[in-house]
């Protein structure tokens, strides 16, 4: 499994001093509809330690670590992370991991 970061995300993570990306599985259940999706985001050292205690799988990359949930997911050979910004709010986008 190979992890690829876009340049904007690399710059952002370096500027913020963060070196961990976590992939969480989040669900929302409202009466008639249930939504489950993956939520990738950047975390610090303290949060990374918490996820490791929850048995998240740690994968080393050139930028730091990617923490993957202990659930069965489908992984492509290459997983890409990119930074997106909407109205000044930054978020991480991933390609290559599916529920």
């Amino acid at each position: 499994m190979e992890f690829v970061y876009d340049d904007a995300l690399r710059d952002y993570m370096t500027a913020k001093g963060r070196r961990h990306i976590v992939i969480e599985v989040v669900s929302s259940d409202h009466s008639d509809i249930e939504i489950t999706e993956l939520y990738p985001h950047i975390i610090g050292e303290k949060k990374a330690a918490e996820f490791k205690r929850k048995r998240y799988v740690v994968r080393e990359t050139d930028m730091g670590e990617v923490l993957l949930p202990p659930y069965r997911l489908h992984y492509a050979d290459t997983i890409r992370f990119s930074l997106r910004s909407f109205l000044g709010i930054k978020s991480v986008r991933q390609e290559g991991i599916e529920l």
Side-chain angles (χ1 to χ4, degrees):
M1 188 176 339
E2 178 186 7
F3 297 95
V4 178
Y5 296 76
D6 76 347
D7 292 334
L9 180 59
R10 285 178 179 277
D11 295 343
Y12 183 75
M13 288 179 71
T14 302
K16 294 293 182 181
R18 303 294 173 116
R19 47 181 304 272
H20 303 284
I21 292 179
V22 65
I23 307 293
E24 287 188 88
V25 177
V26 294
S27 295
S28 176
D29 188 4
H30 296 283
S31 64
D32 295 338
I33 190 166
E34 181 181 341
I35 299 171
T36 302
E37 48 182 59
L38 297 174
Y39 173 53
H41 55 106
I42 301 169
I43 58 173
E45 295 292 332
K46 274 185 162 179
K47 279 297 226 186
E50 289 177 25
F51 281 104
K52 289 175 185 177
R53 280 194 298 274
K54 293 179 183 178
R55 292 190 159 69
Y56 272 61
V57 178
V58 178
R59 298 285 188 228
E60 288 290 329
T61 69
D62 61 338
M63 285 296 296
E65 296 177 338
V66 174
L67 291 95
L68 303 168
Y71 312 114
R72 186 176 198 129
L73 301 175
H74 301 282
Y75 299 102
D77 292 334
T78 302
I79 297 169
R80 299 182 187 284
F81 295 111
S82 59
L83 183 69
R84 63 181 176 182
S85 179
F86 180 72
L87 298 174
I89 299 171
K90 307 271 192 242
S91 63
V92 178
R93 182 170 178 241
Q94 66 82 24
E95 296 173 24
I97 304 173
E98 297 178 2
L99 290 171

